[in-house]
Amino acid sequence: MPINSKRRNYAEVFTHEQDGEVYQRISRVNYSIDSEDSYVKFYFEGLDYIRDMPRDCFMLFCKLMEHCTYAGPDDVHGLNDSFVIHLTSARKKKIAQEMGYSSVKPVSNLLTELCYGEALVRMETACYRLNPYICSRGAWADIISVREQ
């Protein structure tokens, strides 16, 4: 039985209307599974790239994945904000502190390095997108549509 699931048994009996004789019995078991935790999908072809990153770049990349949006359909304006990270100055400062830096300058340098290495794409000021060939979040159909852009 799946972890964190609830089991429900259902029984249905079908009878003939005229004589009341049972002609079919059906038993069903339904499982209700709790929602799963947030997740990130890594792809094997992207793992080699991630493994070769400097340690601090890898740590920042992992921190950024926590703030990444899920893959989803385009909005009404035709914009797709899948795998986007909106990196405000407050968020950047918090990440710098979590990584043990006293200023945001090293984080900015690591962001530039991740962009040069094509792990991130700088969309505009303080807005980045994860490379969907390395890792992603969301439904597979939405991930494919982002990869094709």
Side-chain angles (χ1 to χ4, degrees):
M1 189 155 70
I3 298 174
N4 296 332
S5 67
K6 298 174 184 117
R7 184 176 174 172
R8 294 186 190 132
N9 292 323
Y10 295 96
E12 295 181 38
V13 178
F14 297 96
T15 59
H16 286 285
E17 289 182 21
Q18 296 159 351
D19 59 8
E21 186 177 329
V22 174
Y23 68 91
Q24 186 176 17
R25 291 179 193 265
I26 298 174
S27 294
R28 294 187 179 131
V29 177
N30 291 348
Y31 293 99
S32 173
I33 301 174
D34 294 341
S35 63
E36 57 181 291
D37 295 334
S38 297
Y39 61 91
V40 175
K41 298 175 186 174
F42 280 100
Y43 302 107
F44 285 117
E45 59 268 10
L47 286 177
D48 287 336
Y49 178 81
I50 291 171
R51 185 189 60 199
D52 295 337
M53 282 183 187
R55 180 181 163 273
D56 287 347
C57 280
F58 178 72
M59 286 177 52
L60 178 61
F61 191 74
C62 291
K63 293 280 183 195
L64 294 175
M65 284 188 295
E66 295 174 12
H67 303 287
C68 168
T69 59
Y70 284 85
D74 295 349
D75 68 8
V76 293
H77 303 292
L79 302 173
N80 190 322
D81 68 344
S82 301
F83 317 130
V84 172
I85 303 154
H86 299 282
L87 205 54
T88 62
S89 60
R91 186 176 282 176
K92 193 186 281 190
K93 190 178 210 177
K94 182 180 177 201
I95 289 172
Q97 289 172 348
E98 289 173 356
M99 291 180 68
Y101 297 123
S102 57
S103 71
V104 296
K105 184 68 176 162
V107 173
S108 297
N109 293 341
L110 291 171
L111 283 168
T112 302
E113 195 172 328
L114 287 170
C115 289
Y116 283 137
E118 298 180 354
L120 293 177
V121 175
R122 188 183 313 261
M123 299 177 66
E124 57 186 50
T125 304
C127 186
Y128 299 87
R129 175 179 274 169
L130 289 177
N131 183 338
Y133 290 94
I134 295 175
C135 66
S136 58
R137 298 172 84 169
W140 182 241
D142 295 331
I143 293 168
I144 288 179
S145 70
V146 173
R147 282 182 164 194
E148 291 174 351
Q149 290 178 355

